[in-house]
Amino acid sequence: MRILHTSDWHLGRSFHREGMLGHQAAYVDHLLSVVEQGSVDVVCVSGDVYDRALPQVDAVRLASEALSRLAASRAKVVITSGNHDSAQRLGFGSELIDAAGIFIRTDLAGVGRPVMLPDEHGEVAFYGLPYLDPDAARASWGLESRSHQAALGEAMRRVRADLDGRGGRSVVMAHAFVTGAEPSDSERDMSVGGVSMVPASLFEDISYAALGHLHGRHTITDTVRYSGSPLAYSFSEANHLKGSWLIDLDESGFVASEFVEAPVPRNLARLRGTLEELLSDPRHEVHEQSWLQITLTDRIRPAQAMERLRRRFPHTLVLGFESTAPVLGALSQPDPSRPRRDIDLVTEFVAELRGEPAAKAELALLQTAVDACCEDPEVDSLDSPSGGDEEEEWLEVLF
């Protein structure tokens, strides 16, 4: 039996306001091509089909098209719900959809009841475990403790109870954070009491564990793997290789694996340096059409930085600034014996924070802002009987 292991499609998700639905549709085309050209028997989608519990209409349409095309293909499909999915919405009509060879498993009550799919050596039991929310699992199963390990441990106890009675090969699909893998910035934190990980030992003696949730591919053991998301959803995934696992089972179980790369809509990169360095350095030519996260290290924040960067790097999506000027904590303490006007306080603040005085045009803007905050611009004072609290408030307005 040949299995294609994929997960974390997150249909409907954007990438820093960049629409990804077209790229997700291209991945579905790729998936169908792999199914046909790779002689895939079963497609496993281990959770997070959608990016949100109430997905947008276009995302639902793409999912419907994908499942219709898979139903018409040579492969059977087993799908589970992830922590981004609504189990009820994703699982709607699953009993009817089973007849088309698309098996959607989202219900805790069904944990331990496998989908049985045949090959030339007999049948393989596919145990689709939906995302196991510790609170829901504790309430439904009467667990003593509230944790991911308790929930997944009980699910695997039910799987083994069934498997002990029938024997043979097995595939478990789980949406969890398994020890030995590294997260990225784009997964939703699902820790309970600060703990989110579960041990890989929970999947011992299973022919193959097809994991979802983490967006990078990982091989925990030969038989316990993450496929990762098919597309990058954060700049922390810039070095990820995206795709799916092709897994072969023979009569005794796992026998071989191959990673099939997914199409990349646009490369990701993270650059840092001064604005002039980034605009002039020929080494960055390779990134001129990439999606970019750029961090500027100029001492003073450059004017119109994003506009100037996009002339060379039109797909810059995130711009940060790490100045080498003194930080706020380095400001000197005022001399209480020397009265200062509000505008003096503001300009001193700017000078100490940036490392040099405000320019003439900036001084005019600051004076306008101070006048707008003062009750009597002619006096240039907040004219407050209490002093300190109001001064902090208008400093927040300005900065």
Side-chain angles (χ1 to χ4, degrees):
M1 179 176 287
R2 172 159 281 189
I3 300 166
L4 182 63
H5 167 200
T6 179
S7 72
D8 296 273
W9 292 2
H10 288 278
L11 299 182
R13 187 164 187 159
S14 61
F15 181 68
H16 294 282
R17 299 179 299 280
E18 191 81 13
M20 298 293 284
L21 206 63
H23 304 309
Q24 291 168 336
Y27 172 72
V28 171
D29 292 340
H30 160 79
L31 185 77
L32 268 295
S33 176
V34 173
V35 166
E36 296 303 329
Q37 296 179 18
S39 300
V40 172
D41 300 301
V42 182
V43 176
C44 292
V45 187
S46 299
D48 283 350
V49 174
Y50 294 115
D51 187 57
R52 59 184 68 175
L54 187 60
Q56 63 194 66
V57 172
D58 288 343
V60 175
R61 183 180 297 114
L62 177 57
S64 177
E65 292 173 358
L67 296 185
S68 295
R69 294 172 66 184
L70 284 167
S73 74
R74 56 170 285 121
K76 303 296 184 184
V77 183
V78 185
I79 299 173
T80 59
S81 53
N83 60 307
H84 279 249
D85 297 310
S86 164
Q88 291 76 22
R89 291 187 177 92
L90 183 62
F92 172 77
S94 57
E95 294 86 354
L96 299 175
I97 298 172
D98 281 2
I102 307 290
F103 304 93
I104 302 175
R105 297 296 179 258
T106 66
D107 188 4
L108 288 179
V111 169
R113 295 201 298 267
V115 175
M116 302 301 298
L117 298 176
D119 68 3
E120 61 187 271
H121 304 295
E123 288 188 314
V124 178
F126 285 79
Y127 295 92
L129 309 184
Y131 167 64
L132 301 170
D133 176 78
D135 289 316
R138 185 181 187 184
S140 295
W141 294 338
L143 304 179
E144 293 184 0
S145 62
R146 172 181 173 267
S147 69
H148 287 285
Q149 183 164 345
L152 189 55
E154 172 61 18
M156 290 306 298
R157 186 195 67 76
R158 293 171 179 238
V159 166
R160 286 193 169 87
D162 180 82
L163 194 56
D164 288 346
R166 71 175 69 250
R169 297 163 295 164
S170 59
V171 173
V172 170
M173 300 164 59
H175 200 81
F177 186 175
V178 175
T179 304
E182 291 292 331
S184 65
D185 292 342
S186 58
E187 299 107 8
R188 180 181 296 166
D189 181 23
M190 60 182 193
S191 60
V192 174
V195 178
S196 59
M197 291 184 288
V198 298
S201 58
L202 287 172
F203 304 105
E204 287 180 358
D205 304 324
I206 300 300
S207 301
Y208 183 70
L211 303 180
H213 177 57
L214 298 187
H215 290 181
R217 65 167 184 166
H218 293 284
T219 301
I220 310 299
T221 69
D222 278 347
T223 59
V224 181
R225 299 171 187 255
Y226 284 96
S227 66
S229 59
L231 297 167
Y233 295 118
S234 74
F235 279 101
S236 66
E237 302 168 55
N239 295 323
H240 286 189
L241 187 63
K242 298 298 187 180
S244 311
W245 285 110
L246 277 175
I247 302 297
D248 289 323
L249 303 182
D250 63 9
E251 66 275 11
S252 59
F254 174 87
V255 65
S257 65
E258 176 187 352
F259 193 76
V260 181
E261 295 183 35
V264 178
R266 194 178 297 280
N267 291 324
L268 272 62
R270 294 190 280 194
L271 305 180
R272 62 183 295 115
T274 67
L275 180 60
E276 292 307 319
E277 288 170 350
L278 292 169
L279 292 178
S280 61
D281 194 333
R283 293 178 302 169
H284 299 318
E285 289 180 3
V286 67
H287 299 305
E288 288 181 352
Q289 296 303 315
S290 300
W291 279 322
L292 293 180
Q293 179 185 52
I294 293 179
T295 302
L296 295 180
T297 59
D298 299 76
R299 183 177 177 84
I300 300 173
R301 187 185 298 268
Q304 299 180 318
M306 181 63 92
E307 290 80 355
R308 294 166 67 185
L309 283 167
R310 282 182 170 168
R311 292 170 193 159
R312 183 179 188 187
F313 307 108
H315 303 288
T316 302
L317 300 181
V318 179
L319 178 61
F321 183 69
E322 293 181 7
S323 172
T324 56
V327 297
L328 183 60
L331 288 173
S332 61
Q333 294 298 316
D335 181 359
S337 65
R338 184 172 62 89
R340 290 182 297 175
R341 300 178 305 158
D342 294 328
I343 188 62
D344 295 333
L345 176 63
V346 172
T347 54
E348 287 175 20
F349 175 87
V350 171
E352 293 204 47
L353 186 63
R354 294 203 312 190
E356 67 177 48
K360 184 177 181 180
E362 293 173 326
L363 286 172
L365 288 173
L366 291 171
Q367 183 66 68
T368 300
V370 169
D371 290 344
C373 291
C374 294
E375 293 183 9
D376 186 354
E378 295 298 327
V379 181
D380 187 20
S381 169
L382 290 174
D383 193 23
S384 167
S386 58
D389 292 342
E390 285 75 8
E391 184 174 276
E392 289 182 4
E393 290 177 4
W394 68 258
L395 278 174
E396 289 179 3
V397 170
L398 287 173
F399 301 105

